[in-house]
Amino acid sequence: MKKEPIIPESRDPAFIEQVIKTPVGEKIPTCMQCGICAGSCPVSQEMDYSPRELVRMVQLGLKKEVLSSSTIWICTTCFSCSVRCPRGIHPTELMETLKPIAIAEGIKNRNVKFDNVFSDVIKTNGRASEFLLISKYSLTEPGMIKQLPFGLSMMVKGKLPLSIQRMENTRELEAIFNLGEKSREKK
Amino acid sequence: MTENEQPLVKEQKEETIRKESTIDKSAIEESAKKGSKKIGVYLCRCGGNIADAVDLQAVADNLKEDKNVIVNIQDYLCSSVGQDKIKNDIEKGKVDRVVIGSCSPKLHLETFRGMAKNAGLNPRLLEITNIREQASWVHDKEDKTGVTSKVLGLIKGAAARMGSIEPLSPLAKTLVDRTLVIGGGIAGITTALELSDSHDVILIEKKPYLGGHMIGLSKTFPTLDCSQCILTPRMVAVHNNPRISMLTQTQVADVQGSPGDYSITLKHSPRYVDIGKCINCGACARKCPTGAIFLPFAQAVPQAYMIDMSKCSNCGACVKICPRDAINLEEKEETSAIAVGAVAIATGFEPIDPTFIEEYNYPSPNILTAIEFEEMLSAKSKTGMRLQKADGTFPNRVAFVLCAGSRDFTGKGRKHCSKVCCIYSQKQAQLVKKMKEDSQAWIFYIDMRSGGRRFEEFYHHTQEKGVNYVRGKVAEILPKSDGTLMVQYEDTNLGRKGREIFDMVILCPALIPSTGTKEIADKLGVSIGDDGFIEEKHVKLDPVNTLNQSVFAAGCVLGPKDIHDSVTEGISAAHKVSQFLGKGMILIPPEKPVILECNGCGDCVKACPYNALALEGGKALLSPLACTGCGICVPACPIKGIEIRNFTRDQVKAQLQGILSEAPGVIVFIDPYAYAAADIAGVNRKQYSSLVRLVSIPSVHILDADVVNAAFEYGATGVMLIEGITDEKLTSRSDDLYKKLKKDTRKHKKPIRYSHIETAQYEKLTDLLNVFASQAGAKAQKMSRKEEISDKEDPVS
């Protein structure tokens, strides 16, 4: 990974302001980079930046890197970091705060796409379906074709059921989604 | 005035007491009327600290309308230029009373009063109105007009009260030339030894032996000399010193009296062995079938056996064998009373219990605190000074985990840095490497803090010894089934997660004030910070004094520190105690009750919590030295015959009228302890509404409905009483006071509140002030709307 030097142009003060104003942002400036979040995180090795590095980048206002990072999408919301942080910063909640900002900023990468497909599946069926999820996601992400043999072998072993479950009344769910959309527009 | 109307202040027998002149009502009235007072008001810009938030020129212009007042504004009143200006004005007779608008009187009242004294003015005729900590610093986000109007009111109030202030002189009381040192660790030992050159000392220690935590240390950084080797001679010196009475297993049970003259009750737990008789022969221990009688450790001072009653079978074998008849199994807890003039608190620290840090799995075999590690290698060792795991073998891989429970702002741990862990963990790591060269020692740190002489070199040396440093707070310590420990962390320098297996993990716990610090502080009338350590009189300039002039502190009770700094503070405290006792007497404030009229009912005598009032010849008499000036006798008198000098009802009312003359506001009566909290709020710039007007009074108990009603009549939208004193004799009566005031001022239909705020609770204070100011404001609006309506209705009816 090429590391760009941090110069004044890399920093976006408005972004710092935007994040710090959110309910979880207030304590971000007090991070002392102890790393207990990253040390506790079960998936930090899969992220391009660890939670500690993400907080540091928010402190600096490195908007582009923060919003296009895989970190905010890979977080499993296990809350270990939030529970253990000695400064009372809540990295988990920070990830959740950054996701809609990334979407609103038009960040498009496979993590965003996956998130969109996932919520679509939920919206229409009210239940998660691995088969639908994978097939829809594969349509948007051509690279997934390589995973086909793996998927087939899973299917043979019954690990990828084809049946799609639906909840009885998806209208109620749709109403919830719509409310969410509305409240986001208001912001 | 007839003879028997003459009120008396009971004379104490001590010769040194300056006889209080007898006072009568007419004298006070006369003092109020006498001549036209020339009041000088001096306002300080304090650079921009005050002037940026307050339009001082507008304040001055307004004040000048009163021709009895001259006004002057200076950049820095505390500077020699500023002081000289006031001094000249006094000396030339331009002013004979001074009101200063500046920072808190806690900072500079003594400075200015000293100057007044030099200029020939009675110091009581100079007062400070706090317009920085309690105005400009806490309303600087508000509109300047509101703050300016508040400041103008405060100054007008102070000037109005100043008009009738009596030029009183402080009372003098002989000091008891004996000091109680609480705590037998290195700080207490040093204080006691240094003092013993010229003063008598009583040194008490809760444990059965001297030495505190230091006797439980192995080698000491940065020189690696052995702790007991340097400490034992000092402990023996204490024991042998004829001017030091050393009492172990002793605690403070009760404190009576006042600064300079305390009567303290000590509580002694039973040892069952007479320290004076025991010759340390050990015959008892050899006979004891249960191992209940023992010497705490070989070098313990005092050198005497003791019994652990939880193990004793009461067989009496030890009693029979003892050649000196030193053992008494019937010994009970005892108390004794001592008289001392000064107290030095050196009660030290204790490690926080790291059990609450769930991810560290303490206690588990081979997860130790650094204190336990030290003790294993110290005089108190139970392993023969061998470092060993639970299975008795040497740990080849040892991890040190710093900041266990420190630097934590979540409320679970402590906020402060424990200061010594960075260096002692490196020392411990060196010891591990020294004991076995091919062993491994890892230090997990967040920031390596090695400020101080010889410490960076020590850090460098530890690195040379091959100790492995990892920058990252350990995330988890998991005990494995084979007895080893898995440590998970992020190496923050590399941004990579890591896992290592260790044989032993040492947690460096937050160091916190020892249990009972708050109780001792409360008994002695000194405050503690929100970190639980004793508050210094001034963080930088008076580091071993407390706000109580006869109480001092040294060592870790003032915050975590190393041996060097504890010794330095012990020496400093001894010097300060000596300086205090050397004066031979103590000046006490003359703002005491004066009995103007008495019908002999005795209500005040019953009310006084300090036995300072007595009925003699059918009249109440005051012992001014026993009196603390709490003023509870003032509202107790059914004929309003008692006033606190310089805080009489008329004086306070005049002040209230002045304060509220500019604009309505909320009157907050505040005692000196809570006043300190308001000052801390100011220093921290905690904002609150500028409608709040603090009125400093010696105690909320001087108030009665007369004064509170006056506040409402002058335009207060609400009245609040804030009490900070922790003396239960007063606080137990606060609720009754509040209820009575509420009932007796009901006709105004305005809110009144009482709240108890300790010095550390400044955030709670500002929250309360804000809530109350807005409540009072809302209520006032509602009332005025009602009035408007009724005004409109009136003509119709």
Side-chain angles (χ1 to χ4, degrees), chain A residues 33-34 39 41 52 83 86, chain B residues 409 412 471 473 488 490 497:
Chain A
Q33 293 287 302
C34 72
C41 180
R52 173 185 60 81
V83 168
Chain B
F409 285 69
K412 285 180 282 186
R471 194 200 173 279
K473 186 171 167 75
Q488 185 174 313
E490 188 204 20
K497 210 155 66 171

Side-chain angles (χ1 to χ4, degrees), chain A residues 32-36 38-45 50 52-53 83-88, chain B residues 359-360 407-410 412 446-447 471-476 488-492 495 497:
Chain A
M32 58 173 167
Q33 293 287 302
C34 72
I36 199 168
S40 308
C41 180
V43 289
S44 65
Q45 64 274 14
S50 79
R52 173 185 60 81
E53 291 169 317
V83 168
R84 292 177 183 171
C85 174
R87 298 299 213 205
Chain B
E359 56 270 26
Y360 288 176
R407 305 184 70 187
D408 182 322
F409 285 69
T410 64
K412 285 180 282 186
I446 304 175
D447 296 295
R471 194 200 173 279
K473 186 171 167 75
V474 166
E476 271 174 35
Q488 185 174 313
Y489 62 95
E490 188 204 20
D491 184 324
T492 61
K497 210 155 66 171

Side-chain angles (χ1 to χ4, degrees), chain B residues 87 112-113 135 173 192 274 298 315 350 372 400 410 446 499 509 517 543 572 579 680-681 700 751:
Chain B
K87 198 169 171 221
F112 288 120
R113 283 192 168 168
K173 162 168 84 165
D274 187 328
C315 67
E350 65 185 36
E372 291 163 339
F400 296 89
T410 64
I446 304 175
R499 275 190 288 271
T517 304
S572 309
Q579 200 180 40
I680 298 173
V700 295

Side-chain angles (χ1 to χ4, degrees), chain B residues 278-331:
Chain B
C278 177
I279 52 165
N280 208 16
C281 66
C284 52
R286 286 190 291 275
K287 268 279 176 218
C288 179
T290 59
I293 190 159
F294 63 102
L295 190 64
F297 53 93
Q299 301 84 352
V301 172
Q303 281 274 304
Y305 277 72
M306 62 179 289
I307 296 177
D308 177 355
M309 269 299 158
S310 65
K311 286 187 188 164
C312 177
S313 63
N314 226 350
C315 67
C318 54
V319 181
K320 275 179 225 145
I321 195 83
C322 180
R324 301 269 294 161
D325 274 340
I327 302 168
N328 174 12
L329 297 177
E330 302 303 310
E331 205 178 303

Side-chain angles (χ1 to χ4, degrees), chain A:
Chain A
M1 187 171 35
K2 200 179 151 203
K3 289 180 182 170
E4 296 287 337
I6 301 164
I7 53 171
E9 289 74 40
S10 358
R11 297 198 300 265
D12 183 345
F15 177 62
I16 304 177
E17 184 81 350
Q18 183 185 8
V19 180
I20 286 180
K21 265 197 207 149
T22 65
V24 299
E26 186 195 9
K27 289 184 176 148
I28 293 210
T30 68
C31 173
M32 58 173 167
Q33 293 287 302
C34 72
I36 199 168
C37 50
S40 308
C41 180
V43 289
S44 65
Q45 64 274 14
E46 307 296 331
M47 299 168 165
D48 45 10
Y49 301 103
S50 79
R52 173 185 60 81
E53 291 169 317
L54 191 81
V55 172
R56 179 71 192 130
M57 296 196 301
V58 172
Q59 282 181 340
L60 284 171
L62 306 183
K63 182 176 180 178
K64 215 180 88 199
E65 282 99 320
V66 169
L67 294 182
S68 51
S69 73
S70 69
T71 308
I72 54 178
W73 303 100
I74 286 178
C75 168
T76 64
T77 63
C78 76
F79 287 91
S80 294
C81 51
S82 293
V83 168
R84 292 177 183 171
C85 174
R87 298 299 213 205
I89 298 164
H90 294 284
T92 310
E93 289 85 334
L94 175 65
M95 312 282 179
E96 295 306 308
T97 305
L98 291 170
K99 279 181 197 174
I101 301 179
I103 293 171
E105 291 284 333
I107 300 284
K108 284 196 173 64
N109 56 29
R110 60 194 185 102
N111 293 306
V112 181
K113 281 179 202 163
F114 187 84
D115 203 64
N116 281 335
V117 171
F118 184 80
S119 53
D120 275 349
V121 170
I122 297 289
K123 207 169 169 180
T124 46
N125 299 305
R127 297 262 195 279
S129 153
E130 275 131 359
F131 178 71
L132 263 186
L133 187 64
I134 292 303
S135 41
K136 281 192 167 183
Y137 180 59
S138 303
L139 290 176
T140 63
E141 193 67 25
M144 281 296 284
I145 196 82
K146 284 183 205 156
Q147 302 279 337
L148 194 61
F150 182 56
L152 285 174
S153 69
M154 277 179 79
M155 223 182 276
V156 171
K157 289 187 175 157
K159 299 284 180 192
L160 199 60
L162 293 171
S163 62
I164 299 162
Q165 291 190 332
R166 281 185 68 132
M167 67 185 280
E168 279 171 20
N169 188 356
T170 48
R171 273 202 196 147
E172 283 177 15
L173 190 71
E174 229 176 285
I176 293 173
F177 269 89
N178 289 340
L179 271 177
E181 285 295 327
K182 261 187 205 164
S183 75
R184 192 192 304 177
E185 279 160 23
K186 262 186 209 164
K187 275 179 197 164

Side-chain angles (χ1 to χ4, degrees), chain B residues 33-50:
Chain B
K33 277 183 238 151
K34 199 175 75 185
S36 61
K37 308 250 164 37
K38 288 166 286 182
I39 297 180
V41 174
Y42 299 86
L43 303 172
C44 181
R45 289 194 191 95
C46 194
N49 278 303
I50 294 171

